[in-house]
Amino acid sequence: MAQHEYSAAEITVLEFDEVVLKRPGMYFGVGLDDPGLPVTLLSVAAQHALHPAAHVAEDHSLTSVIEILGDLRFAVTINQRHTWPDSPPLGYHGSLIGPEWWSLAAIAALCGTTTAEMWCDGRGFGQELAGLRPRTAVWRFEPPPGSGTRVTFTLDARRLPPGTAFPADLGGLTVHGPYCDAADGPGTVAVHDSRNGPGIGASFF
């Protein structure tokens, strides 16, 4: 049997966010129709906050807060120390989210809107995205003290089954993953469910 020879015209190259949408199980272990997806996304965000890319920080060294702001909306704030000289380097599609936070970028791919904010040394930079793709240019804002990253996600309800929501019971949330063997450190993850008022249902890991 003669072998078929493939040409470049038969190869489809997908962007990162397109791959996430096509094969979400590769990144989250569950599909878009799985009822466990919402708590899985919280777990993925928490795990990456405690286990960032090696050039960002050591495992278990960063502190972060996850706020559940609505049934399909949550924010992740990480006390990441930035080292950019003037402004943050741009990442996927010219957005403020780069490959060093690829898990957050994967979550953004499932979103209708995403807002990314970074600040350091009195300089703050923000951007609104449609999923992972810039909807606006990077803007400047008056930042809080210190240095950090905050990404606010609003999941795209059109991609999810009706009634999908983050659970009130966060007992299924895992922050380390099956392959974590790092020593304990000062890093923590606090999870706040603000749907019924500030500070309700706070959990620390």
Side-chain angles (χ1 to χ4, degrees), residues 15-17 84 87-102 105 116 118 127 129 132-134 138:
E15 299 282 2
F16 175 76
D17 50 346
W84 23 266
S87 61
L90 298 181
Y92 295 106
H93 306 294
S95 76
L96 284 175
I97 304 178
E100 71 274 15
W101 292 111
W102 67 268
M118 296 181 179
Q127 187 180 41
L129 315 174
L132 188 54
R133 302 188 180 226
V138 175

Side-chain angles (χ1 to χ4, degrees), residues 73-84:
R73 187 166 180 259
F74 76 104
V76 182
T77 304
I78 306 169
N79 74 327
Q80 176 188 1
R81 176 64 189 173
H82 294 291
T83 58
W84 23 266

Side-chain angles (χ1 to χ4, degrees), residues 3 32-34 41 45 69 100-101 108 113 128 147 151 167 203:
Q3 287 187 327
L32 298 182
D33 58 348
D34 192 305
L41 296 181
L69 303 170
E100 71 274 15
W101 292 111
T113 59
E128 185 175 334
S147 178
V151 184
S203 301

Side-chain angles (χ1 to χ4, degrees), residues 10-102:
E10 296 174 280
I11 299 174
T12 301
V13 179
L14 299 177
E15 299 282 2
F16 175 76
D17 50 346
E18 294 173 326
V19 177
V20 174
L21 290 171
K22 190 176 180 64
R23 300 270 190 264
M26 291 175 55
Y27 297 89
F28 307 118
V30 295
L32 298 182
D33 58 348
D34 192 305
L37 177 66
V39 74
T40 297
L41 296 181
L42 297 178
S43 296
V44 167
Q47 288 169 19
H48 207 173
L50 278 181
H51 311 89
H55 67 277
V56 172
E58 295 182 358
D59 286 350
H60 301 176
S61 67
L62 300 178
T63 59
S64 60
V65 176
I66 295 177
E67 298 173 79
I68 302 174
L69 303 170
D71 285 342
L72 294 177
R73 187 166 180 259
F74 76 104
V76 182
T77 304
I78 306 169
N79 74 327
Q80 176 188 1
R81 176 64 189 173
H82 294 291
T83 58
W84 23 266
D86 299 309
S87 61
L90 298 181
Y92 295 106
H93 306 294
S95 76
L96 284 175
I97 304 178
E100 71 274 15
W101 292 111
W102 67 268

Side-chain angles (χ1 to χ4, degrees), residues 24 30 55 77 98 103 115-116 122 129 179 191 193-194:
V30 295
H55 67 277
T77 304
S103 286
T115 303
L129 315 174
Y179 305 109
V191 182
D193 191 340
S194 300

Side-chain angles (χ1 to χ4, degrees), residues 79-175:
N79 74 327
Q80 176 188 1
R81 176 64 189 173
H82 294 291
T83 58
W84 23 266
D86 299 309
S87 61
L90 298 181
Y92 295 106
H93 306 294
S95 76
L96 284 175
I97 304 178
E100 71 274 15
W101 292 111
W102 67 268
S103 286
L104 302 187
I107 296 172
L110 305 185
C111 293
T113 59
T114 309
T115 303
E117 299 169 287
M118 296 181 179
W119 61 92
C120 180
D121 298 330
R123 296 164 294 156
F125 300 87
Q127 187 180 41
E128 185 175 334
L129 315 174
L132 188 54
R133 302 188 180 226
R135 176 176 285 170
T136 69
V138 175
W139 67 71
R140 300 194 68 150
F141 68 93
E142 191 68 27
S147 178
T149 295
R150 177 181 172 90
V151 184
T152 303
F153 305 96
T154 303
L155 300 179
D156 189 346
R158 298 170 300 177
R159 302 185 185 277
L160 306 171
T164 298
F166 295 112
D169 180 2
L170 299 176
L173 194 150
T174 58
V175 300

